[in-house]
């Protein structure tokens, strides 16, 4: 899956969570450089429920580098453990050849 990180996406997300850090604001590029997407925004893009009646059980995130406005992130994953009611995936967030985040996501069946 590929997602373009737009100024509007960052603005809406920051408004929703009350994040007023100026490094996310495209109007502050002279003082702070290119606007950076909140790391948790990029992480949130992958935490949708993978299947009905499954919930996020655990999330370990490792931030390798920043994601900037205008970047197109590519999300890939591999299953590293699967049982009847627990699935562990390793998720990778890339921009081009650059690894931005590594996420270990555990989901559990709730019914």
């Amino acid at each position: 899956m590929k997602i373009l990180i737009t100024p509007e996406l960052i603005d809406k997300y920051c408004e929703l969570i009350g994040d007023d850090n100026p490094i996310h604001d495209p109007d502050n590029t002279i003082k702070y450089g290119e606007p950076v997407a909140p790391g948790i925004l990029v992480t949130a893009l992958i935490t949708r429920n993978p299947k009905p009646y499954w919930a996020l059980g655990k999330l370990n995130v490792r931030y390798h580098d920043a994601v900037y406005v205008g970047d197109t992130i590519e999300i890939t994953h591999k299953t590293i453990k699967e049982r009847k009611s627990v699935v562990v995936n390793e998720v990778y967030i890339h921009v081009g050849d650059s690894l931005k985040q590594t996420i270990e996501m555990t989901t559990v069946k709730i019914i």
Side-chain angles (χ1 to χ4, degrees), residues 75-80 87-93 103 105:
I75 302 169
T76 59
H77 79 279
K78 70 176 181 180
T79 300
I80 55 177
V87 176
V88 180
N89 284 297
E90 196 156 82
V91 182
Y92 308 97
I93 309 292
I103 302 160
M105 182 171 72

Side-chain angles (χ1 to χ4, degrees), residues 71-107:
D71 283 347
T72 297
I73 62 171
E74 183 171 3
I75 302 169
T76 59
H77 79 279
K78 70 176 181 180
T79 300
I80 55 177
K81 182 171 31 172
E82 188 168 358
R83 293 190 186 144
K84 187 175 181 180
S85 61
V86 176
V87 176
V88 180
N89 284 297
E90 196 156 82
V91 182
Y92 308 97
I93 309 292
H94 285 87
V95 174
D97 291 334
S98 180
L99 181 62
K100 301 296 182 169
Q101 290 184 19
T102 307
I103 302 160
E104 184 179 292
M105 182 171 72
T106 303
T107 53

Side-chain angles (χ1 to χ4, degrees), residues 32-79:
Y32 297 102
E34 286 187 66
V36 176
I40 196 66
L41 164 63
V42 178
T43 304
L45 293 171
I46 63 96
T47 58
R48 294 180 221 130
N49 282 343
K51 303 177 196 174
Y53 307 110
W54 286 70
L56 181 63
K58 185 177 179 184
L59 193 68
N60 292 320
V61 181
R62 181 165 181 215
Y63 298 100
H64 301 278
D65 199 0
V67 173
Y68 297 94
V69 169
D71 283 347
T72 297
I73 62 171
E74 183 171 3
I75 302 169
T76 59
H77 79 279
K78 70 176 181 180
T79 300

Side-chain angles (χ1 to χ4, degrees), residues 22 25-35:
D25 187 347
D27 295 330
N28 289 326
T29 57
I30 293 172
K31 186 172 183 180
Y32 297 102
E34 286 187 66

